[in-house]
Amino acid sequence: MRFAWPKFGRMIGGLYFGPAGWQPQGWSDAPAPTALPTEALSAGNAPPPATLPAKPADQAPQAAGGQAQRRPLLAELDRHGIVQFSPWTPALPQQLALLGRRTADVMVVNMLPHQPESALPGFLTRKELAPMLVALEGLALALKPHRVLITVDRHDHAAARAWAAAARGRPWKVIRLVNKYPLAHPRALLHRLGINNSDISESPATRGRLIIDPVTCWAIGRLLAGEKHVTHRPVQVFAQGQEPQMLLLRIGEPVAGVMERFGQALPAVECIANGMLAGKRLDPATDCIEASTEMLSFRPAPLTENTSDCIRCSWCVYACPTGLNPAALLAAAQVKATMPVVNPTEARGCIGCGLCSYVCPCRLPLAQTIVQMSAQSIMPTPPRSSAATDGGGA
Amino acid sequence: MSRLSNPGSAGPLRAVSQPAIPAAALNGGPPFLVWPVARREFYLAINIAIAPTLLGGLVFFGPVAAVNLLALVAGMLLSYPVLRLYTRRGRGMSFQHALAGTLVAGALTSPLYPWPAMLIVGLLIPLLTWLISTPGRHALNLALLAPLVLLALYPLNGQGPLLARNRLLLGNVHHSSSLRSYHWPRAGKRQPADAVTLPVPEQQIQTLYKSIARKPVTFKSRELINQSFSFYLPSPTELILGAVPGWIGTVSLLAIILGGLYLSYRHILQPGSWLLFLSAVVMGLVFGPLSRGMFVDHFWQSLGGIWYLHGEQVIVLLTYELCSGDFLFASVFVLAFPGSLPMEPNARRFFLLLAGLLAALTHRLALPVPPATFALLVLQPLAPVFDALLHRRSWILQAG
C-alpha cells in the first residue's frame, strides 16, 4: 500500500504544521558581506544607534507622521538596496511610496515563518535582534505609526520571549500567533489581526497598513550599523541527506554555484526556491539568488504522476484560507459545466498559498490556474500621484 | 510504480511525484509537494473502512451473505475491465471507486436476494456509472441506487432478513438453546430454506408506534412498549456487536463506528457533517409523524408529542430507531463518498439538514428502501444547485 499516514498535528483545512524542527546554530559557509562590522555583530554587541539622515533645517518635525524624515529615509532605503526581501510582502520603499503623506495606521512586523519549515524569523531573532530593534526604532521614529504590532510564532518560545522582552518599555505590542500556514501572507495576517478592510486590488499601504518582514528589518539594521549596501541575505538551504543550513548568500549569486557547493549534481537535482508550497522552480543555468529568495530546496528530479478529473471531495474548499471554492474556479477557467460556474473574478481572492493543489487527491493544477486567473482579474493600483511626484513620499 | 509509469489518459497537465519522498509533487508550478493521498488512496480508504461492516454481516449471516457479496463483486469485475479498457469514456474510471460503490451497494442488500440477482447488480453498477456520468466525472453515485431499486422490487413485507442456520463463526442456530427466545423461532416457524426469518428492530418499532399512536394516553401503550423490550427488541449489546438482523452491512454498530472513526482520521468523513445529518434525523424522528397513518390523519401526533407519558422509554425507542436500519451506515459511508454533498459549507449544512429530515420521513412512511441512503441519493443531483444558491463569498473579496 502506497498511502502514507498523516502525521499528528498536520490537518487539512486548519493546517497547522507546528514549529520548525531544527534550530540552525549560526551562519555557515557564508562569505562576510562587504563593509560589515562582523566583530560587533558576532559578539552580540548592539550596533551604533540609529543614524537617520538629518532632517532638513527648514522643516520642523511634524506630529502627524514625521513627514520631514520620510523623504530622505525613502531615498536612503532605495539607495542602499532595501528591496523586496519576501515573496509575499511588498518592498518597504514601495509601501512607503503608497503611504504618501499620511500617517501609518499600523506597522506590522511579521515575524511568522513564511513556509512551514522555515526557521528564518526565529534565527534572526536569536542572532540579529539588536540591529532589528534599531531598525524598528528608526522606522517608528520616521513614520510615527499609531500602532506597532509584532507578530511572532507562538510555538517558537525563545523568539516570542525575546520579542516580548524587547517590547517592554516601548509602545509596541507583541502578538503570539499559531503558525498556521499561510498566515504569514499579508492579507491573511491582517485579517487575522482584525485590521483588513481593504480592497483586494489595492495594497494595504494605501490604507496606512505597513507590513515589514524580518529580513527587511534585519537589512535596515545592518544599513544603520554602517553597511554601505545590502549585498547579501540569509537563505535557508535544504538538501536531501544533509542537515538544513542557514547561509548568507550574495544577491545575484548563480544558483548553480550554490548547488555545486552542496554537492548537488546537475541536472539530476532540481532547485526550488521559497518553499515547496508557494515557491518556484529555478533553472540553475540562468537563475540567480534574488533579494526575495528565502529558501532553497534541492531534491532529485521527480517522476510523473497522472491527474484525474475532480471528484468533488471538497478538500480544496476546506483547505483554502480565504474561503474560495478552487474546484469551482477551475471549472470556470476550463469552461466546463460540471458544477455551477462561479464568477471568475473571484479568483482575485487567491493569495497563491498552494494549499488547494497540495491537498487535491486528483492532482489538479488548482493553484497555478487560479493564480493566473487572479493575475488577469486584478488591475494593479497605480501609486498615488502626490506621492509619486513628491520624490518618494514625504 | 506501475501506476506512476503508466501515462494514463488524464487531463492536459501531468503531475510529478518523487517515490523517495513520502509525498508526491506537482510539476509545472507550485506546489511541489502534495498530500500523499491520491484519488486511488481516497477510495481505498473507504473500502478499508467498510470492510469491518461487511465482515460483521458475514459473521452474522453466514455463507449465504458471503455468496451474495462474491456474486456482486464478480459482476463488477466482469463489467469494469471491459468499460475501462475498451471505451473512451471508461478510461477515467477508477477501480477503487467502482469497488467502493459495489461494496456500499452490497452492504445495503439482504441475504434474501438470490445470487444471480446480485451478479446482475454487480454488472450494472459500473455500467450505470459509465452511462450517466460524463467522461471522468463520476460524481453521481449510481452504484448506490441499484440496491435501492432491488429492494423496491423485492419488498420485505415484514418477512425480515435471513438468519442463517449455520452462521460463519457462531454455529448452528438449532443448538443455541441458551439464546433469547425472540431470536430463534422454533420448529413451526422455520423456513424451507436453510434459515429463519425475523422482523428487524425498526420494523418492530414501527408496528409498536402504529399500536400506541392510536391510543397514546392509555396504560396500554406502556404495556406494549414493555412487551417490545422483553420479546421483540434486541439488547443494546447485541445491537452494538452485530447480532441483530438487518441488511448485510448494517448489523454491526461497532463496525460502522470503527469505519467512521477511520474515515474521520483520514479526513474523508467530516465529523461535523456526520453530526449535523444525524441531528436532523433525530429531529425528524422526534417531531415527525409516527407512521403513515398518523401522517394522513394526525399529522402532529409525533414521538415528541407522547414524550410526557413515556419519557425514558421514548429515548430508548429513539435510540433503537437510530441504531438499527441504515441511518448510521449512510451517515458514515454515503456521506464519505465524494460527490455526495455540496462543496460550499453553507450549502452542505442546508443539504444535510434537509437530507436528515427527508430520511426520517422516509423511514416513518415505511418505504421499502433504506431511508437515509435513499434521502441522500435523491438529493445528491441537487448538490450543485445548493452550491449555486448558497455560494459563500470569500472574506478577502469584501471591499472596505
Side-chain angles (χ1 to χ4, degrees):
Chain A
M1 293 185 181
R2 216 181 139 261
F3 64 87
W5 298 95
K7 294 180 184 176
F8 176 75
R10 293 175 180 258
M11 303 176 290
I12 295 178
L15 269 183
Y16 166 59
F17 289 85
W22 61 283
Q23 302 292 339
Q25 298 306 312
W27 305 110
S28 58
D29 194 26
T34 56
L36 181 68
T38 50
E39 296 81 4
L41 287 176
S42 61
N45 298 330
T51 52
L52 289 172
K55 54 181 184 289
D58 58 341
Q59 288 189 11
Q62 299 178 21
Q67 296 174 16
Q69 300 182 6
R70 281 200 209 173
R71 191 184 310 160
L73 169 64
L74 200 60
E76 285 296 310
L77 294 180
D78 229 354
R79 194 155 63 90
H80 288 90
I82 302 301
V83 293
Q84 182 177 3
F85 289 109
S86 166
W88 278 347
T89 307
L92 184 59
Q94 179 188 352
Q95 293 187 60
L96 293 178
L98 290 172
L99 181 65
R101 295 176 178 274
R102 292 164 302 157
T103 306
D105 175 50
V106 62
M107 188 169 82
V108 179
V109 185
N110 186 4
M111 294 297 299
L112 293 177
H114 176 227
Q115 286 285 332
E117 296 82 19
S118 172
L120 184 59
F123 176 81
L124 289 179
T125 301
R126 280 187 293 279
K127 297 295 178 183
E128 305 283 332
L129 182 62
M132 294 171 83
L133 293 179
V134 168
L136 286 185
E137 282 182 340
L139 287 171
L141 185 67
L143 301 175
K144 294 280 194 298
H146 294 308
R147 291 177 287 169
V148 176
L149 305 178
I150 301 167
T151 58
V152 295
D153 183 1
R154 174 180 289 275
H155 292 89
D156 191 347
H157 301 295
R161 276 196 301 269
W163 279 105
R168 261 184 233 118
R170 294 184 170 99
W172 302 347
K173 185 176 178 186
V174 176
I175 300 173
R176 303 185 186 202
L177 296 173
V178 171
N179 177 21
K180 188 173 167 180
Y181 179 79
L183 192 56
H185 189 283
R187 289 284 178 193
L189 181 64
L190 287 178
H191 181 258
R192 178 65 181 83
L193 296 175
I195 51 178
N196 189 23
N197 203 26
S198 59
D199 194 281
I200 186 65
S201 59
E202 63 181 17
S203 167
T206 57
R207 302 274 182 128
R209 286 125 193 195
L210 302 179
I211 309 285
I212 300 176
D213 64 281
V215 177
T216 298
C217 207
W218 166 84
I220 293 175
R222 292 237 165 157
L223 168 67
L224 296 175
E227 184 183 344
K228 291 182 181 177
H229 195 86
V230 178
T231 58
H232 290 65
R233 67 147 291 149
V235 177
Q236 269 184 251
V237 179
F238 296 90
Q240 279 194 339
Q242 298 187 33
E243 281 294 314
Q245 297 187 44
M246 189 73 72
L247 303 186
L248 203 61
L249 295 181
R250 181 175 58 82
I251 298 171
E253 180 177 354
V255 171
V258 179
M259 292 178 73
E260 279 177 21
R261 244 190 291 169
F262 272 83
Q264 301 296 314
L266 299 169
V269 174
E270 65 175 15
C271 175
I272 294 165
N274 292 338
M276 306 297 277
L277 286 179
K280 64 175 181 178
R281 181 182 288 106
L282 299 181
D283 182 0
T286 56
D287 287 324
C288 302
I289 301 297
E290 297 173 355
S292 59
T293 303
E294 294 188 342
M295 300 165 68
L296 288 177
S297 303
F298 303 131
R299 67 170 186 186
L303 299 177
T304 57
E305 189 176 355
N306 299 322
T307 61
S308 57
D309 287 293
C310 178
I311 60 173
R312 292 173 56 90
C313 63
S314 305
W315 277 7
C316 56
V317 179
Y318 291 131
C320 181
T322 62
L324 297 174
N325 188 336
L329 285 169
L330 186 70
Q334 298 176 352
V335 196
K336 280 186 182 176
T338 55
M339 64 180 71
V341 176
V342 299
N343 194 337
T345 58
E346 288 200 18
R348 296 183 305 154
C350 178
I351 59 175
C353 64
L355 282 173
C356 49
S357 290
Y358 174 74
V359 299
C360 180
C362 300
R363 309 300 187 228
L364 291 167
L366 295 165
Q368 300 95 296
T369 306
I370 296 173
V371 164
Q372 286 175 13
M373 292 170 68
S374 173
Q376 292 167 6
S377 298
I378 292 180
M379 299 297 295
T381 303
R384 305 275 171 158
S385 56
S386 58
T389 57
D390 199 12
Chain B
M1 286 300 289
S2 61
R3 178 172 68 88
L4 293 175
S5 60
N6 180 14
S9 62
L13 292 177
R14 294 166 65 80
V16 180
S17 68
Q18 169 52 261
I21 302 173
L26 285 173
N27 196 4
F32 301 97
L33 201 66
V34 292
W35 188 257
V37 174
R39 189 182 67 163
R40 176 179 169 270
E41 283 85 17
F42 196 101
Y43 290 120
L44 180 62
I46 297 176
N47 293 335
I48 291 172
I50 204 174
T53 65
L54 294 177
L55 192 62
L58 293 184
V59 168
F60 186 70
F61 289 115
V64 177
V67 168
N68 276 8
L69 283 178
L70 283 173
L72 189 71
V73 174
M76 187 275 287
L77 289 175
L78 285 174
S79 63
Y80 172 81
V82 173
L83 297 170
R84 176 82 160 85
L85 295 174
Y86 298 109
T87 65
R88 199 179 67 171
R89 176 181 278 199
R91 258 183 261 155
M93 293 176 74
S94 160
F95 173 75
Q96 295 294 338
H97 174 258
L99 183 62
T102 304
L103 293 180
V104 171
L108 291 172
T109 58
S110 165
L112 279 174
Y113 302 141
W115 68 266
M118 301 300 287
L119 185 70
I120 293 171
V121 168
L123 282 167
L124 283 177
I125 288 171
L127 183 62
L128 288 172
T129 306
W130 176 83
L131 268 175
I132 295 191
S133 303
T134 54
R137 177 176 164 257
H138 308 289
L140 195 60
N141 297 316
L142 287 176
L144 306 180
L145 283 176
L148 299 189
V149 174
L150 197 69
L151 283 170
L153 294 176
Y154 290 87
L156 296 177
N157 286 332
Q159 287 183 3
L162 200 65
L163 193 65
R165 288 170 181 264
N166 288 313
R167 295 187 292 177
L168 199 62
L169 294 176
L170 302 180
N172 195 305
V173 167
H174 286 140
H175 304 292
S176 305
S177 57
S178 62
L179 294 172
R180 289 177 57 176
S181 60
Y182 98 95
H183 271 169
W184 317 116
R186 295 298 177 226
K189 294 186 182 179
R190 288 173 194 162
Q191 299 294 315
D194 185 21
V196 296
T197 59
L198 185 73
V200 295
E202 68 262 23
Q203 287 173 328
Q204 294 285 356
I205 294 173
Q206 281 176 348
T207 308
L208 172 67
Y209 284 159
K210 278 181 194 169
S211 307
I212 66 175
R214 289 191 197 106
K215 298 172 186 178
V217 198
T218 66
F219 71 94
K220 278 267 184 196
S221 54
R222 188 181 290 275
E223 260 188 32
L224 289 169
I225 294 174
N226 289 337
Q227 215 174 23
S228 294
F229 284 145
S230 301
F231 297 111
Y232 303 123
L233 292 176
S235 66
T237 309
E238 289 168 328
L239 198 67
I240 289 172
L241 291 180
V244 175
W247 290 296
I248 293 177
T250 63
V251 292
S252 174
L253 205 62
L254 183 63
I256 294 174
I257 291 171
L258 286 176
L261 286 174
Y262 175 73
L263 290 175
S264 297
Y265 173 72
R266 298 302 303 274
H267 306 292
I268 291 170
L269 175 68
Q270 306 302 324
S273 301
W274 178 83
L275 274 173
L276 186 58
F277 176 72
L278 285 182
S279 301
V281 168
V282 168
M283 294 301 292
L285 291 176
V286 169
F287 296 110
L290 286 178
S291 67
R292 198 181 300 180
M294 292 300 109
F295 182 74
V296 174
D297 299 327
H298 307 283
F299 182 79
W300 299 110
Q301 201 157 6
S302 66
L303 198 65
I306 61 172
W307 194 286
Y308 69 93
L309 189 63
H310 313 291
E312 67 283 359
Q313 289 177 317
V314 164
I315 294 174
V316 177
L317 286 173
L318 189 63
T319 308
Y320 272 107
E321 264 192 294
L322 201 62
C323 295
S324 59
D326 79 325
F327 289 120
L328 287 178
F329 179 86
S331 70
V332 170
F333 296 106
V334 181
L335 288 188
F337 231 85
S340 299
L341 301 175
M343 298 184 73
E344 297 277 344
N346 294 335
R348 180 177 289 242
R349 292 181 195 115
F350 188 73
F351 180 95
L352 287 168
L353 279 172
L354 202 60
L357 292 173
L358 183 61
L361 188 65
T362 307
H363 168 70
R364 286 293 169 75
L365 293 180
L367 299 181
V369 288
T373 306
F374 177 76
L376 286 168
L377 290 181
V378 161
L379 290 178
Q380 191 254 338
L382 300 177
V385 178
F386 281 89
D387 276 329
L389 292 175
L390 294 168
H391 172 63
R392 174 188 66 178
R393 188 169 164 83
S394 161
W395 60 263
I396 210 171
L397 294 173
Q398 294 166 15

PDB file of all heavy atoms in Angstrom, chain B residues 19 36-37 48 50 94 99 111 167 181 199 208 217 321 337 342 381-382 398:
ATOM      1  N   PRO B  19       9.093   9.138  -5.564  1.00  0.00           N
ATOM      2  CA  PRO B  19       8.843   8.000  -4.680  1.00  0.00           C
ATOM      3  C   PRO B  19       9.769   7.972  -3.478  1.00  0.00           C
ATOM      4  O   PRO B  19       9.461   7.386  -2.467  1.00  0.00           O
ATOM      5  CB  PRO B  19       9.068   6.795  -5.592  1.00  0.00           C
ATOM      6  CG  PRO B  19       9.828   7.308  -6.764  1.00  0.00           C
ATOM      7  CD  PRO B  19       9.483   8.735  -6.909  1.00  0.00           C
ATOM      8  N   PRO B  36      -0.080  13.057   0.571  1.00  0.00           N
ATOM      9  CA  PRO B  36       0.118  11.733  -0.032  1.00  0.00           C
ATOM     10  C   PRO B  36      -1.142  10.888  -0.117  1.00  0.00           C
ATOM     11  O   PRO B  36      -1.144   9.705   0.220  1.00  0.00           O
ATOM     12  CB  PRO B  36       1.146  11.101   0.907  1.00  0.00           C
ATOM     13  CG  PRO B  36       0.923  11.759   2.214  1.00  0.00           C
ATOM     14  CD  PRO B  36       0.538  13.169   1.894  1.00  0.00           C
ATOM     15  N   VAL B  37      -2.207  11.482  -0.512  1.00  0.00           N
ATOM     16  CA  VAL B  37      -3.451  10.736  -0.736  1.00  0.00           C
ATOM     17  C   VAL B  37      -3.944  11.128  -2.117  1.00  0.00           C
ATOM     18  O   VAL B  37      -4.474  12.219  -2.311  1.00  0.00           O
ATOM     19  CB  VAL B  37      -4.503  11.069   0.334  1.00  0.00           C
ATOM     20  CG1 VAL B  37      -5.830  10.397  -0.012  1.00  0.00           C
ATOM     21  CG2 VAL B  37      -4.029  10.622   1.702  1.00  0.00           C
ATOM     22  N   ILE B  48     -11.441   0.182   2.829  1.00  0.00           N
ATOM     23  CA  ILE B  48     -10.901  -0.364   4.078  1.00  0.00           C
ATOM     24  C   ILE B  48     -11.884  -0.125   5.225  1.00  0.00           C
ATOM     25  O   ILE B  48     -12.088  -0.983   6.080  1.00  0.00           O
ATOM     26  CB  ILE B  48      -9.539   0.279   4.387  1.00  0.00           C
ATOM     27  CG1 ILE B  48      -8.508  -0.194   3.373  1.00  0.00           C
ATOM     28  CG2 ILE B  48      -9.083  -0.041   5.797  1.00  0.00           C
ATOM     29  CD1 ILE B  48      -7.192   0.528   3.466  1.00  0.00           C
ATOM     30  N   ILE B  50     -15.104   0.137   5.097  1.00  0.00           N
ATOM     31  CA  ILE B  50     -16.353  -0.626   5.012  1.00  0.00           C
ATOM     32  C   ILE B  50     -16.115  -2.112   5.241  1.00  0.00           C
ATOM     33  O   ILE B  50     -17.065  -2.878   5.472  1.00  0.00           O
ATOM     34  CB  ILE B  50     -17.036  -0.387   3.647  1.00  0.00           C
ATOM     35  CG1 ILE B  50     -18.529  -0.662   3.764  1.00  0.00           C
ATOM     36  CG2 ILE B  50     -16.395  -1.205   2.549  1.00  0.00           C
ATOM     37  CD1 ILE B  50     -19.294  -0.309   2.521  1.00  0.00           C
ATOM     38  N   SER B  94     -12.117   4.619 -12.077  1.00  0.00           N
ATOM     39  CA  SER B  94     -11.147   4.143 -11.098  1.00  0.00           C
ATOM     40  C   SER B  94     -11.639   2.821 -10.531  1.00  0.00           C
ATOM     41  O   SER B  94     -12.813   2.692 -10.169  1.00  0.00           O
ATOM     42  CB  SER B  94     -11.001   5.182  -9.985  1.00  0.00           C
ATOM     43  OG  SER B  94     -10.450   4.611  -8.811  1.00  0.00           O
ATOM     44  N   LEU B  99     -15.148  -0.356  -6.951  1.00  0.00           N
ATOM     45  CA  LEU B  99     -15.214  -1.332  -5.858  1.00  0.00           C
ATOM     46  C   LEU B  99     -15.913  -0.733  -4.645  1.00  0.00           C
ATOM     47  O   LEU B  99     -16.723  -1.400  -3.985  1.00  0.00           O
ATOM     48  CB  LEU B  99     -13.806  -1.779  -5.483  1.00  0.00           C
ATOM     49  CG  LEU B  99     -13.719  -2.866  -4.394  1.00  0.00           C
ATOM     50  CD1 LEU B  99     -14.396  -4.140  -4.867  1.00  0.00           C
ATOM     51  CD2 LEU B  99     -12.262  -3.138  -4.019  1.00  0.00           C
ATOM     52  N   PRO B 111     -29.445 -10.877   2.523  1.00  0.00           N
ATOM     53  CA  PRO B 111     -29.125 -12.226   2.046  1.00  0.00           C
ATOM     54  C   PRO B 111     -30.323 -12.944   1.439  1.00  0.00           C
ATOM     55  O   PRO B 111     -30.189 -14.030   0.899  1.00  0.00           O
ATOM     56  CB  PRO B 111     -28.639 -12.943   3.305  1.00  0.00           C
ATOM     57  CG  PRO B 111     -28.273 -11.867   4.249  1.00  0.00           C
ATOM     58  CD  PRO B 111     -29.157 -10.720   3.944  1.00  0.00           C
ATOM     59  N   ARG B 167     -24.250 -20.166  10.842  1.00  0.00           N
ATOM     60  CA  ARG B 167     -23.541 -18.903  10.686  1.00  0.00           C
ATOM     61  C   ARG B 167     -22.044 -19.160  10.609  1.00  0.00           C
ATOM     62  O   ARG B 167     -21.551 -20.213  10.992  1.00  0.00           O
ATOM     63  CB  ARG B 167     -23.882 -17.972  11.833  1.00  0.00           C
ATOM     64  CG  ARG B 167     -25.349 -17.576  11.803  1.00  0.00           C
ATOM     65  CD  ARG B 167     -25.671 -16.530  12.806  1.00  0.00           C
ATOM     66  NE  ARG B 167     -25.556 -17.045  14.164  1.00  0.00           N
ATOM     67  CZ  ARG B 167     -25.740 -16.281  15.222  1.00  0.00           C
ATOM     68  NH1 ARG B 167     -25.988 -14.998  15.075  1.00  0.00           N
ATOM     69  NH2 ARG B 167     -25.620 -16.783  16.428  1.00  0.00           N
ATOM     70  N   SER B 181     -35.267 -15.985  23.389  1.00  0.00           N
ATOM     71  CA  SER B 181     -36.293 -16.679  22.612  1.00  0.00           C
ATOM     72  C   SER B 181     -36.667 -15.902  21.349  1.00  0.00           C
ATOM     73  O   SER B 181     -37.014 -16.485  20.340  1.00  0.00           O
ATOM     74  CB  SER B 181     -37.529 -16.917  23.469  1.00  0.00           C
ATOM     75  OG  SER B 181     -38.040 -15.673  23.901  1.00  0.00           O
ATOM     76  N   PRO B 199     -38.443 -10.229  11.888  1.00  0.00           N
ATOM     77  CA  PRO B 199     -38.527  -8.786  11.623  1.00  0.00           C
ATOM     78  C   PRO B 199     -37.343  -8.045  12.237  1.00  0.00           C
ATOM     79  O   PRO B 199     -36.868  -8.392  13.317  1.00  0.00           O
ATOM     80  CB  PRO B 199     -39.827  -8.370  12.293  1.00  0.00           C
ATOM     81  CG  PRO B 199     -40.601  -9.631  12.465  1.00  0.00           C
ATOM     82  CD  PRO B 199     -39.591 -10.703  12.651  1.00  0.00           C
ATOM     83  N   LEU B 208     -45.017  -1.104  16.701  1.00  0.00           N
ATOM     84  CA  LEU B 208     -45.333  -0.602  18.032  1.00  0.00           C
ATOM     85  C   LEU B 208     -45.917   0.801  17.959  1.00  0.00           C
ATOM     86  O   LEU B 208     -46.915   1.107  18.615  1.00  0.00           O
ATOM     87  CB  LEU B 208     -44.050  -0.601  18.864  1.00  0.00           C
ATOM     88  CG  LEU B 208     -44.123   0.059  20.244  1.00  0.00           C
ATOM     89  CD1 LEU B 208     -45.024  -0.747  21.160  1.00  0.00           C
ATOM     90  CD2 LEU B 208     -42.739   0.192  20.841  1.00  0.00           C
ATOM     91  N   VAL B 217     -52.775   7.879  25.216  1.00  0.00           N
ATOM     92  CA  VAL B 217     -52.910   8.293  26.607  1.00  0.00           C
ATOM     93  C   VAL B 217     -53.517   7.176  27.454  1.00  0.00           C
ATOM     94  O   VAL B 217     -54.280   7.439  28.342  1.00  0.00           O
ATOM     95  CB  VAL B 217     -53.772   9.582  26.696  1.00  0.00           C
ATOM     96  CG1 VAL B 217     -53.555  10.272  28.024  1.00  0.00           C
ATOM     97  CG2 VAL B 217     -53.434  10.526  25.560  1.00  0.00           C
ATOM     98  N   GLU B 321     -34.267   3.113  17.018  1.00  0.00           N
ATOM     99  CA  GLU B 321     -34.585   3.506  15.638  1.00  0.00           C
ATOM    100  C   GLU B 321     -33.361   4.029  14.921  1.00  0.00           C
ATOM    101  O   GLU B 321     -33.120   3.758  13.745  1.00  0.00           O
ATOM    102  CB  GLU B 321     -35.653   4.614  15.660  1.00  0.00           C
ATOM    103  CG  GLU B 321     -37.052   4.109  15.492  1.00  0.00           C
ATOM    104  CD  GLU B 321     -38.009   5.247  15.233  1.00  0.00           C
ATOM    105  OE1 GLU B 321     -38.182   6.072  16.142  1.00  0.00           O
ATOM    106  OE2 GLU B 321     -38.560   5.311  14.133  1.00  0.00           O
ATOM    107  N   PHE B 337     -18.597   9.324   0.699  1.00  0.00           N
ATOM    108  CA  PHE B 337     -18.390   9.178  -0.727  1.00  0.00           C
ATOM    109  C   PHE B 337     -18.260  10.555  -1.362  1.00  0.00           C
ATOM    110  O   PHE B 337     -19.151  11.383  -1.231  1.00  0.00           O
ATOM    111  CB  PHE B 337     -19.592   8.439  -1.339  1.00  0.00           C
ATOM    112  CG  PHE B 337     -19.182   7.278  -2.176  1.00  0.00           C
ATOM    113  CD1 PHE B 337     -18.942   6.045  -1.610  1.00  0.00           C
ATOM    114  CD2 PHE B 337     -19.037   7.416  -3.543  1.00  0.00           C
ATOM    115  CE1 PHE B 337     -18.555   4.971  -2.381  1.00  0.00           C
ATOM    116  CE2 PHE B 337     -18.654   6.357  -4.325  1.00  0.00           C
ATOM    117  CZ  PHE B 337     -18.412   5.126  -3.745  1.00  0.00           C
ATOM    118  N   PRO B 342     -22.865  18.869  -1.368  1.00  0.00           N
ATOM    119  CA  PRO B 342     -22.380  20.114  -1.961  1.00  0.00           C
ATOM    120  C   PRO B 342     -20.980  20.441  -1.443  1.00  0.00           C
ATOM    121  O   PRO B 342     -20.548  19.916  -0.420  1.00  0.00           O
ATOM    122  CB  PRO B 342     -23.392  21.161  -1.473  1.00  0.00           C
ATOM    123  CG  PRO B 342     -24.588  20.386  -1.077  1.00  0.00           C
ATOM    124  CD  PRO B 342     -24.099  19.060  -0.613  1.00  0.00           C
ATOM    125  N   PRO B 381     -28.249  14.749  -6.750  1.00  0.00           N
ATOM    126  CA  PRO B 381     -28.158  15.521  -8.009  1.00  0.00           C
ATOM    127  C   PRO B 381     -28.413  17.006  -7.823  1.00  0.00           C
ATOM    128  O   PRO B 381     -28.038  17.809  -8.683  1.00  0.00           O
ATOM    129  CB  PRO B 381     -29.243  14.885  -8.890  1.00  0.00           C
ATOM    130  CG  PRO B 381     -29.440  13.526  -8.333  1.00  0.00           C
ATOM    131  CD  PRO B 381     -29.226  13.660  -6.863  1.00  0.00           C
ATOM    132  N   LEU B 382     -29.040  17.383  -6.715  1.00  0.00           N
ATOM    133  CA  LEU B 382     -29.305  18.802  -6.473  1.00  0.00           C
ATOM    134  C   LEU B 382     -28.142  19.502  -5.782  1.00  0.00           C
ATOM    135  O   LEU B 382     -28.209  20.704  -5.521  1.00  0.00           O
ATOM    136  CB  LEU B 382     -30.559  18.958  -5.601  1.00  0.00           C
ATOM    137  CG  LEU B 382     -31.846  18.391  -6.180  1.00  0.00           C
ATOM    138  CD1 LEU B 382     -32.985  18.538  -5.179  1.00  0.00           C
ATOM    139  CD2 LEU B 382     -32.198  19.089  -7.485  1.00  0.00           C
ATOM    140  N   GLN B 398     -14.134  41.100   0.230  1.00  0.00           N
ATOM    141  CA  GLN B 398     -15.041  42.112   0.773  1.00  0.00           C
ATOM    142  C   GLN B 398     -14.300  43.427   0.867  1.00  0.00           C
ATOM    143  O   GLN B 398     -13.391  43.591   1.656  1.00  0.00           O
ATOM    144  CB  GLN B 398     -15.552  41.680   2.145  1.00  0.00           C
ATOM    145  CG  GLN B 398     -16.426  40.446   2.057  1.00  0.00           C
ATOM    146  CD  GLN B 398     -16.670  39.807   3.403  1.00  0.00           C
ATOM    147  OE1 GLN B 398     -16.425  40.421   4.427  1.00  0.00           O
ATOM    148  NE2 GLN B 398     -17.166  38.587   3.406  1.00  0.00           N
TER     149      GLN B 398
END
